Amino acid sequence: MYELGLLVAFLIWLYSSVAILLRVNSQLERNLNKIGQRLSWTTGRVIHLDSEKQPFWHKICKYLLIVFTGLVFVLLSWGYVVMAVMSFIYTFSKDIGAPQSVKEYRWKLRNRNLSFDDMVKETVLAAGQPPHNFDEAKEAILSDLEERGFSRRNLTGR
């Protein structure tokens, strides 16, 4: 029974390792990067980017640390399987009650290449704010990004 648990845990670990690579290179990630955000590699939640450009070796080391930590947990066999299944269930169930505007926003982020202005507009609409708040929201996002060390020219393309 322990060996079966190891096999199932290993397959889940393998899936998770590949899913991180796919998530980091997805359209959703590219769209979020335009407004200074990214997906967390461990939880899949949206978080702020720390800096404009991280060295490539930093990303590789971070990926290897996450993957090898998960590989150690594979030895827990069924405990890892239960934890992974509960995580998958939580991820899918949290979106069930989301309003339609939020679901459309998420679909656009995953499937369309949006410009910076489109990202701001969609973010305003998904937050339930009136469309006339676009300029205020855009300026707030730009000033926040500049405070974190991003160049305004790189963000807006001007």
Side-chain angles (χ1 to χ4, degrees):
M1 192 66 157
Y2 177 74
E3 292 81 12
L4 180 62
L6 281 177
L7 176 65
V8 173
F10 178 77
L11 293 174
I12 291 174
W13 169 81
L14 189 62
Y15 168 79
S16 299
S17 300
V18 172
I20 290 173
L21 292 174
L22 294 176
R23 197 177 319 138
V24 167
N25 294 305
S26 69
Q27 184 65 48
L28 173 61
E29 182 79 10
R30 287 190 294 273
N31 280 331
L32 288 173
N33 288 343
K34 292 175 185 173
I35 57 172
Q37 297 178 341
R38 68 175 180 86
L39 293 173
S40 168
W41 289 15
T42 53
T43 63
R45 291 178 161 219
V46 176
I47 59 175
H48 291 291
L49 280 172
D50 298 330
S51 63
E52 196 159 350
K53 193 72 172 166
Q54 290 181 343
F56 189 68
W57 65 268
H58 182 266
K59 292 178 182 180
I60 291 175
C61 290
K62 183 176 168 181
Y63 175 75
L64 291 175
L65 177 68
I66 291 169
V67 167
F68 285 125
T69 301
L71 188 58
V72 170
F73 282 110
V74 166
L75 297 176
L76 297 175
S77 177
W78 288 108
Y80 182 77
V81 172
V82 169
M83 182 184 71
V85 168
M86 289 176 66
S87 175
F88 291 141
I89 290 171
Y90 171 74
T91 300
F92 289 114
S93 68
K94 72 177 183 168
D95 290 336
I96 291 174
Q100 187 62 31
S101 62
V102 173
K103 290 179 182 179
E104 289 174 9
Y105 171 67
R106 290 177 184 159
W107 183 88
K108 287 178 184 178
L109 288 180
R110 284 191 306 269
N111 296 301
R112 290 188 180 166
N113 185 14
L114 302 172
S115 67
F116 178 80
D117 287 345
D118 291 337
M119 283 295 300
V120 174
K121 186 188 323 177
E122 293 298 330
T123 303
V124 167
L125 292 174
Q129 298 176 357
H132 66 272
N133 288 349
F134 170 74
D135 291 328
E136 295 170 11
K138 181 178 177 180
E139 200 53 45
I141 291 172
L142 285 172
S143 64
D144 176 55
L145 291 173
E146 285 178 334
E147 287 175 12
R148 289 191 276 142
F150 289 83
S151 167
R152 185 179 284 245
R153 173 175 287 186
N154 291 346
L155 296 169
T156 60
R158 293 183 217 148

